[in-house]
Amino acid sequence: MHDFCFTIPYGLVIVIGGVIGYLRKGSVASLGGGVGTGLVLIFAGYLSLKAFSKGKNSFLGLAIETVCAAALTFVMGQRYMQTSKIMPAGIVAGISVLMTVFYLYKIATGGNHIPAKAE
């Protein structure tokens, strides 16, 4: 699978979670963190998608995705350890761990597989 196939939906989930946190609890931190990080993830996924459509890899996009997922893992993991609340801290930390591992795998294997052009 290509990184952008997971990154764009992951970013959307983070944005939606930030908006829901703001609407339910009035948390400006949730709104800023969720929407900000989610939009950065969507942008990085878009960079990767555009590079893939040109037959290249976007290692900048992959690096941004990895940093965002690792940061969310750390921040939400800390929040889960403090509160023991599965929702939202545990869920976001769990998803972010999986995404961080996926991005590290993509980096280790050289990025997205670019199919050879048929002539």
Side-chain angles (χ1 to χ4, degrees):
M1 278 315 264
H2 307 298
D3 62 306
F4 54 83
C5 294
F6 291 112
T7 301
I8 295 170
Y10 174 49
L12 288 172
V13 166
I14 300 299
V15 167
I16 291 167
V19 170
I20 290 171
Y22 176 74
L23 294 174
R24 293 188 77 203
K25 302 283 185 176
S27 172
V28 176
S30 180
L31 181 66
V35 171
T37 306
L39 289 177
V40 170
L41 282 164
I42 292 167
F43 175 71
Y46 174 77
L47 287 177
S48 184
L49 175 62
K50 281 300 181 190
F52 182 77
S53 70
K54 294 177 183 176
K56 300 180 181 190
N57 273 304
S58 173
F59 289 105
L60 173 62
L62 196 52
I64 293 169
E65 294 162 356
T66 306
V67 167
C68 285
L72 279 172
T73 298
F74 179 76
V75 170
M76 296 308 271
Q78 289 288 337
R79 185 159 301 144
Y80 174 72
M81 296 299 255
Q82 292 170 352
T83 65
S84 297
K85 291 184 178 179
I86 295 292
M87 196 61 184
I91 299 293
V92 174
I95 292 170
S96 296
V97 156
L98 293 174
M99 293 305 293
T100 302
V101 169
F102 173 70
Y103 295 139
L104 291 174
Y105 168 77
K106 294 307 278 183
I107 290 170
T109 59
N112 293 319
H113 173 71
I114 308 296
K117 293 186 178 185
E119 294 182 36

